[in-house]
Amino acid sequence: MKRRLDFWSVVKFACFALMLVFLVYPFFSMFAKSIISPEGGVTFDNFAQFFKLKYYYSTLKNSLSICITVTLTCLALGIPMAYCATRYNLIGKSVMNVMIIMSLMSPPFIGAYSWIVLLGRNGALTKFLTNLGINMPSIYGWGGIVLVFTIKLFPYVYLYVSGALGSIDSSLEEASESLGSGKFRRIMTVTLPVVMPTILSSGLMVFMTSLADFGTPMLIGEGYKVLPVLIYEEYISEVGTNAGMASTLSVIIVLCSTFVLLLQNAVVMKKNYNMSALRPPAVIKLRPIPRVLISFACILVAFLGFLPQIVVVVSSFRKTSGPIFTSGFSLNSYRDIAYKLSQNIKNTFTFSITAIILIVIFGMLVAYLSVKRRSKTSTLLDTMVMFPYVIPGAVLGIAFLSAFNKPPIVLAGTPIIMIVAYVVRKLPYTVRSTSGILYQIDSSIEEASISLGRSPMKTFFTVTARLMAPGVISGAILSWISTINELSSSIMLYSGRTGTISVAIYNEVARGGFGTAAALASILTLVTLLSLLLFQIISKGKVSIV
Amino acid sequence: MSVNVRINRAVKTYGNFRAVDEVSVDIAQGEFFTLLGPSGCGKTTLLRMIAGFNSVDGGEIYFGDRLINNVPAHTRDIGMVFQNYAIFPHMTIFDNVAYGLRNRKIPKDEIRERVEKTLDIVQISHLKDRMPAAMSGGQQQRVALARAIVIKPQILLMDEPLSNLDAKLRVQMRTMIKKLQKELGITTIYVTHDQEEALAVSDRIAIMKDGKIIQLGTPEEIYNRPVHQFVANFIGTSVFLPAEVVSQDENGEASIQVSGYTFRVKLGRKAPKKLKLSVRPKQFLFNDATDEGIKGVIRVATFLGDYWYYEVELTSGETVEVHEYTKEHEGARPVGTAVKLLLDLNRITIFNEDGTEAIR
């Protein structure tokens, strides 16, 4: 029997076509580059070299050691905090939430730089503590990377898990309680397992982000070299000589992370809980002393994440003389960037806004297809869309460059390649958080709308999309924040006229202009704060940030 | 306008499994038709095929003369009430009910008028500006019902609409649904696993098992004349007693023996040697006059107002349930009393040995 071509089939087809052009093709090009020798034959020399030379393979070991540790520490910090924040009447919860989201935006490696400014060899805090006779352990190397990553990335766990905890139907926990479970057992046997898909997603996010970031380990790692740093160095240093090595390293890192993603996907697929949280859990009123203690602990952790922003903003107003901060305050740094870098500022906003609009539209459609129209093809589509999630920005940059600097599609150096890279790279945030909420919307709601005569397309836009909004908005905010701060792909793809704020920050730091870098980073911080405020106004407080 | 529904050899497959297996049934215009069966029998699957949410993998489904196999669900002009109500949580009650009308290019005034009238009918007009989250199950159910009927659909489909309500409310709601259905004269297909509910509301019932309709008939027919042991067991309470044909003459008059008691009954056809009797608790009669009957001893005696409820252990070892109206016998029959049970021969059902066919 012939099937009518319905709305969702068309959407699915269009998504596939876009994915083929902007994902499969670039990565195919990159892969080809890694196994084609300068003479044009097929060779696996590069791969052999990677596993032979300690210089190469030790970076893989280092990366895995960092990522696993950071994922565990972030979960250990984020889950209890999320639980306390959603279930207890903590003091200063909104301030805490804002600080946590702000710390997420701390521009790549500026966070690390701030921690060096505070705790490095000549750090302000180090000096202060040394004067008191306390010797801090070195911030450089493995420990420093783990510290900076944990403080920067636990917000993912916190935000995702509090979202899920807030939409569990309270009857589930009440049922457990009524069956005689104490609080601890209830959390372990009901609450945690039900939010487990979200926990896994957030853990994956932490793992992948820490695997991909190269700014932090480059600054604070010193001798402790991880894979992305190596990729970047190979790419920068190679001009024609060993064209394949950066591609080879990229392929290796992609293989590693794909494996982890598939593992996570398999687990989440098996655990699909339908919940219609018409009655979200009540907030428990704590007695004064525990309330103050728990609030204080949570705010302290949130503050640690927020500290780099303060350091950055304060630094941006300090007087500079060349690369050196001198005593006193001034607006020189801001005058400098207004004069030299206004194009970068403009670029960041035009590119990011365009990208975020595309991300929201595309993300909702893809999430819907993969959750509600589950089939082999939509699962494949979901896997494809999630693929960039596991890809360091530098790798995506290399892939795009190897595909789009030659016909049939030439995009290198244009704003389009930046925007497309942002969409491809940041889409997974929105897709994940949207999928999360879609799992909780019962299909009968849509069927009710369809039975009342609205076509599947109209139903999607009037009912489903509306119910998805909390997930979409929280995902889009994460996408937006991470887009305006995107460095690793931008640094590969920008040309003279398409540089963004984060590219400028990186270049300024490399040149030693920490004052201008701090001023630029402060602008990003301010914009993020404003975005959050705007979001609160638009959502009229009905949609929570998390 | 309400229409008739014709289902011809409809099939739904999941891999090799046939969830609905060549089901054929004609549902008349304005009829209240119920699909009844245990969970997993295919009743909801069939309903969703009619609604358009499940594909039709074989056979045909017609609304009137219109073949709807491949018609998208939203153009089928149905009203559907879901088990979990599926109220749009982001809309007020008024907007929920108006939802289907707003899609039909109806003037605003008329929408308001129709919504208000329908809310009146289901007695929740005072809640029209509320959000659904703060409403009870019964109220949500009324909203779901109002939303489905306000569009005056050709067919009303209901998927276990009362299963999430408490017993008293369930009885209230089913009375309201039935009254409403008759007033509107709307063809209704109703799915439930609750036999009492099915008997109460339906014009006709189809009993489903393993994707097939086992019996189709009015509630009375289904209750009194089950064609299959499954039906006798599923609808009401029945005990099954093995029996044997001692002799049968050319007129069909047979002499049948059960647990040492022999009775004569006229059968319409030549009976097999072995039979199975299906007897309801009220179809056992205590014989206080003679020595005739199935012998047993009373083990439990419970007063239930209109009748006494007894459990009688037969000499064969089986325990059967027997109801006796209080007006028919003065006082209780004490536990331990030896009794003789006769059968209400006009009412019991006689099956073949494995219960797959009714002899009478």
Side-chain angles (χ1 to χ4, degrees):
Chain A
M1 234 171 290
K2 212 175 147 240
R3 267 298 166 78
R4 285 167 50 103
L5 196 62
D6 66 14
F7 171 65
W8 288 109
S9 312
V10 175
V11 170
K12 198 188 282 184
F13 178 78
C15 291
F16 258 109
L18 287 170
M19 281 288 127
L20 281 182
V21 176
F22 292 113
L23 191 71
V24 178
Y25 170 56
F27 278 89
F28 184 78
S29 304
M30 183 183 81
F31 184 67
K33 219 172 168 189
S34 74
I35 57 164
I36 288 170
S37 66
E39 295 77 40
V42 172
T43 168
F44 288 96
D45 280 359
N46 286 332
F47 288 91
Q49 251 189 340
F50 179 86
F51 289 105
K52 226 164 39 199
L53 298 180
K54 187 161 192 281
Y55 174 72
Y56 290 128
Y57 71 71
S58 66
T59 57
L60 178 62
K61 219 183 73 203
N62 290 349
S63 278
L64 291 180
S65 157
I66 294 275
C67 294
I68 291 167
T69 313
V70 167
T71 306
L72 294 177
T73 51
C74 286
L75 290 175
L77 205 54
I79 297 171
M81 266 184 81
Y83 187 86
C84 292
T86 44
R87 297 301 157 86
Y88 299 135
N89 59 336
L90 298 188
I91 305 159
K93 205 185 280 183
S94 50
V95 176
M96 185 174 104
N97 279 334
V98 169
M99 286 201 295
I100 284 174
I101 292 176
M102 292 297 290
S103 72
L104 245 193
M105 73 80 69
S106 89
F109 72 83
I110 283 289
Y113 206 103
S114 301
W115 282 105
I116 292 173
V117 167
L118 288 171
L119 283 174
R121 282 182 201 98
N122 298 311
L125 215 60
T126 316
K127 280 183 189 157
F128 179 70
L129 291 171
T130 313
N131 289 343
L132 290 178
I134 303 168
N135 276 319
M136 291 294 289
S138 166
I139 187 95
Y140 302 98
W142 186 88
I145 301 177
V146 168
L147 174 79
V148 173
F149 274 157
T150 302
I151 286 172
K152 177 158 163 59
L153 301 179
F154 91 88
Y156 283 129
V157 179
Y158 173 82
L159 291 175
Y160 278 36
V161 174
S162 22
L165 282 174
S167 53
I168 290 183
D169 199 284
S170 52
S171 59
L172 279 181
E173 290 184 1
E174 288 162 8
S176 165
E177 202 173 353
S178 72
L179 293 168
S181 294
K183 188 169 178 181
F184 181 72
R185 207 188 126 174
R186 190 169 80 227
I187 293 174
M188 298 312 281
T189 56
V190 175
T191 318
L192 272 185
V194 166
V195 296
M196 198 42 92
T198 314
I199 290 178
L200 289 174
S201 300
S202 65
L204 183 73
M205 181 72 107
V206 171
F207 187 93
M208 295 307 169
T209 316
S210 52
L211 182 62
D213 190 39
F214 77 95
T216 303
M218 196 159 69
L219 277 174
I220 213 168
E222 299 213 325
Y224 198 82
K225 192 178 282 183
V226 297
L227 204 44
V229 171
L230 184 65
I231 291 178
Y232 182 70
E233 285 179 358
E234 289 288 318
Y235 173 79
I236 294 298
S237 67
E238 76 179 25
V239 182
T241 50
N242 187 11
M245 200 59 203
S247 299
T248 305
L249 295 172
S250 302
V251 170
I252 288 168
I253 205 169
V254 166
L255 289 179
C256 287
S257 34
T258 307
F259 172 75
V260 178
L261 178 74
L262 290 178
L263 199 70
Q264 190 256 9
N265 249 15
V267 177
V268 173
M269 284 298 167
K270 270 187 224 137
K271 303 197 165 179
N272 166 5
Y273 305 114
N274 271 325
M275 280 185 288
S276 51
L278 289 174
R279 217 154 56 83
V283 173
I284 299 163
K285 288 203 165 51
L286 286 173
R287 278 171 294 122
I289 293 173
R291 185 178 178 207
V292 168
L293 287 179
I294 294 177
S295 302
F296 180 75
C298 289
I299 288 179
L300 185 69
V301 173
F303 180 75
L304 279 183
F306 188 58
L307 195 56
Q309 324 295 305
I310 299 176
V311 172
V312 159
V313 173
V314 170
S315 306
S316 73
F317 290 108
R318 287 175 70 180
K319 259 189 198 149
T320 52
S321 152
I324 316 276
F325 286 117
T326 57
S327 59
F329 293 90
S330 82
L331 287 173
N332 279 344
S333 301
Y334 288 94
R335 229 167 276 139
D336 283 354
I337 59 170
Y339 175 63
K340 289 190 300 186
L341 298 166
S342 60
Q343 180 65 34
N344 295 54
I345 296 169
K346 206 181 114 201
N347 285 345
T348 289
F349 292 111
T350 44
F351 298 172
S352 299
I353 288 169
T354 318
I356 230 58
I357 291 169
L358 295 171
I359 285 171
V360 166
I361 295 171
F362 206 46
M364 284 171 86
L365 296 174
V366 170
Y368 184 89
L369 282 174
S370 73
V371 175
K372 296 288 179 186
R373 307 279 150 141
R374 193 177 290 175
S375 67
K376 283 199 182 93
T377 47
S378 63
T379 308
L380 178 67
L381 183 65
D382 184 59
T383 312
M384 278 161 76
V385 167
M386 295 316 290
F387 183 61
Y389 194 50
V390 306
I391 292 169
V395 173
L396 187 80
I398 289 174
F400 267 45
L401 285 175
S402 54
F404 300 125
N405 62 0
K406 57 175 195 285
I409 309 172
V410 183
L411 296 173
T414 64
I416 296 174
I417 198 170
M418 307 278 283
I419 292 168
V420 172
Y422 293 162
V423 173
V424 169
R425 194 159 143 66
K426 306 301 177 189
L427 187 59
Y429 295 56
T430 303
V431 171
R432 266 286 166 265
S433 68
T434 309
S435 305
I437 201 145
L438 267 174
Y439 280 122
Q440 303 185 355
I441 300 175
D442 197 282
S443 303
S444 62
I445 293 264
E446 286 175 62
E447 288 169 359
S449 166
I450 290 171
S451 76
L452 292 167
R454 298 241 171 140
S455 67
M457 183 174 76
K458 274 194 189 157
T459 294
F460 178 76
F461 288 111
T462 53
V463 176
T464 323
R466 175 62 189 72
L467 296 176
M468 283 156 79
V472 176
I473 293 173
S474 62
I477 287 216
L478 288 182
S479 291
W480 161 257
I481 288 169
S482 119
T483 305
I484 55 176
N485 293 301
E486 171 67 11
L487 172 72
S488 50
S489 64
S490 310
I491 200 102
M492 295 288 178
L493 295 171
Y494 84 103
S495 66
R497 60 195 172 87
T498 62
T500 59
I501 295 180
S502 53
V503 168
I505 295 174
Y506 175 83
N507 288 335
E508 289 301 303
V509 170
R511 286 192 321 111
F514 189 59
T516 38
L520 286 167
S522 302
I523 292 178
L524 288 183
T525 304
L526 181 71
V527 170
T528 303
L529 192 62
L530 290 178
S531 323
L532 288 174
L533 286 176
L534 185 69
F535 166 79
Q536 292 285 29
I537 294 165
I538 290 171
S539 65
K540 296 192 188 87
K542 274 186 200 155
V543 183
S544 70
I545 290 166
V546 290
Chain B
M1 232 346 251
S2 152
V3 296
N4 67 315
V5 176
R6 195 149 58 81
I7 300 168
N8 185 27
R9 299 166 72 90
V11 175
K12 174 74 198 172
T13 53
Y14 293 108
N16 289 325
F17 173 68
R18 285 193 159 199
V20 173
D21 193 0
E22 303 215 354
V23 168
S24 297
V25 61
D26 284 347
I27 299 161
Q29 184 187 327
E31 183 173 4
F32 199 126
F33 187 85
T34 298
L35 297 169
L36 173 65
S39 63
C41 71
K43 57 191 191 299
T44 294
T45 309
L46 180 60
L47 188 81
R48 291 172 57 82
M49 288 164 77
I50 298 167
F53 300 130
N54 283 347
S55 61
V56 181
D57 298 337
E60 299 94 39
I61 299 178
Y62 293 92
F63 288 0
D65 296 328
R66 179 176 171 223
L67 177 69
I68 51 98
N69 281 28
N70 290 320
V71 173
H74 67 280
T75 57
R76 287 190 184 191
D77 195 14
I78 50 169
M80 183 147 174
V81 179
F82 294 83
Q83 183 169 11
N84 63 355
Y85 320 135
I87 306 296
F88 305 126
H90 58 300
M91 295 179 191
T92 62
I93 301 317
F94 183 92
D95 289 336
N96 259 282
V97 178
Y99 187 88
L101 294 175
R102 293 209 168 115
N103 202 38
R104 285 171 160 74
K105 309 225 167 19
I106 294 171
K108 249 187 169 167
D109 293 347
E110 193 189 332
I111 290 182
R112 171 161 298 276
E113 192 184 315
R114 274 171 72 174
V115 170
E116 276 169 2
K117 198 174 138 212
T118 312
L119 287 174
D120 252 355
I121 294 175
V122 297
Q123 299 155 16
I124 47 167
S125 37
H126 58 292
L127 300 174
K128 71 178 171 160
D129 296 319
R130 290 247 197 113
M131 297 302 283
M135 293 177 51
S136 70
Q139 290 168 335
Q140 293 201 28
Q141 178 56 254
R142 285 164 196 261
V143 177
L145 187 62
R147 187 176 66 179
I149 59 174
V150 76
I151 59 173
K152 297 181 182 159
Q154 290 189 328
I155 298 154
L156 181 62
L157 304 176
M158 306 179 102
D159 184 9
E160 309 233 9
L162 306 181
S163 61
N164 288 339
L165 300 179
D166 66 67
K168 198 171 172 192
L169 205 52
R170 207 149 59 213
V171 173
Q172 264 177 31
M173 285 299 291
R174 79 182 185 209
T175 312
M176 188 186 92
I177 288 174
K178 181 169 188 179
K179 223 174 110 206
L180 197 58
Q181 191 268 345
K182 283 299 159 227
E183 279 167 19
L184 300 171
I186 183 170
T187 312
T188 300
I189 305 176
Y190 189 98
V191 161
T192 182
H193 65 268
D194 181 333
Q195 43 107 4
E196 188 192 318
E197 192 176 301
L199 294 174
V201 296
S202 316
D203 292 328
R204 273 195 308 159
I205 297 173
I207 308 278
M208 287 188 72
K209 177 177 183 278
D210 300 334
K212 291 188 161 79
I213 292 181
I214 302 278
Q215 186 170 5
L216 185 64
T218 63
E220 263 187 297
E221 284 166 358
I222 297 241
Y223 187 86
N224 292 329
R225 290 279 165 256
V227 299
H228 192 286
Q229 176 186 338
F230 174 79
V231 179
N233 196 29
F234 191 71
I235 305 284
T237 313
S238 298
V239 294
F240 298 99
L241 301 173
E244 211 164 284
V245 179
V246 182
S247 64
Q248 188 176 18
D249 64 20
E250 63 278 10
N251 294 328
E253 189 93 1
S255 175
I256 297 171
Q257 197 188 53
V258 53
S259 291
Y261 162 58
T262 310
F263 62 90
R264 294 189 66 77
V265 69
K266 191 172 159 72
L267 300 177
R269 46 178 275 205
K270 176 90 180 86
K273 177 86 179 144
K274 297 206 162 184
L275 298 173
K276 187 182 269 181
L277 307 183
S278 163
V279 189
R280 298 195 185 277
K282 289 196 173 90
Q283 294 165 353
F284 284 109
L285 310 166
F286 288 102
N287 182 3
D288 298 324
T290 68
D291 207 26
E292 208 184 3
I294 305 168
K295 299 198 168 47
V297 176
I298 291 184
R299 291 294 177 214
V300 176
T302 308
F303 179 66
L304 288 176
D306 281 351
Y307 62 89
W308 278 87
Y309 165 100
Y310 295 109
E311 281 179 26
V312 178
E313 187 181 331
L314 307 182
T315 41
S316 61
E318 275 173 282
T319 299
V320 300
E321 191 181 315
V322 179
H323 298 173
E324 184 180 41
Y325 283 109
T326 35
K327 63 183 178 193
E328 284 168 359
H329 186 265
E330 199 62 37
R333 295 172 186 273
V335 170
T337 313
V339 293
K340 295 137 284 174
L341 296 172
L342 300 178
L343 301 174
D344 185 345
L345 296 181
N346 290 323
R347 295 189 188 277
I348 63 166
T349 311
I350 302 172
F351 289 110
N352 63 357
E353 190 187 6
D354 56 9
T356 54
E357 196 188 340
I359 309 289
R360 199 217 67 174

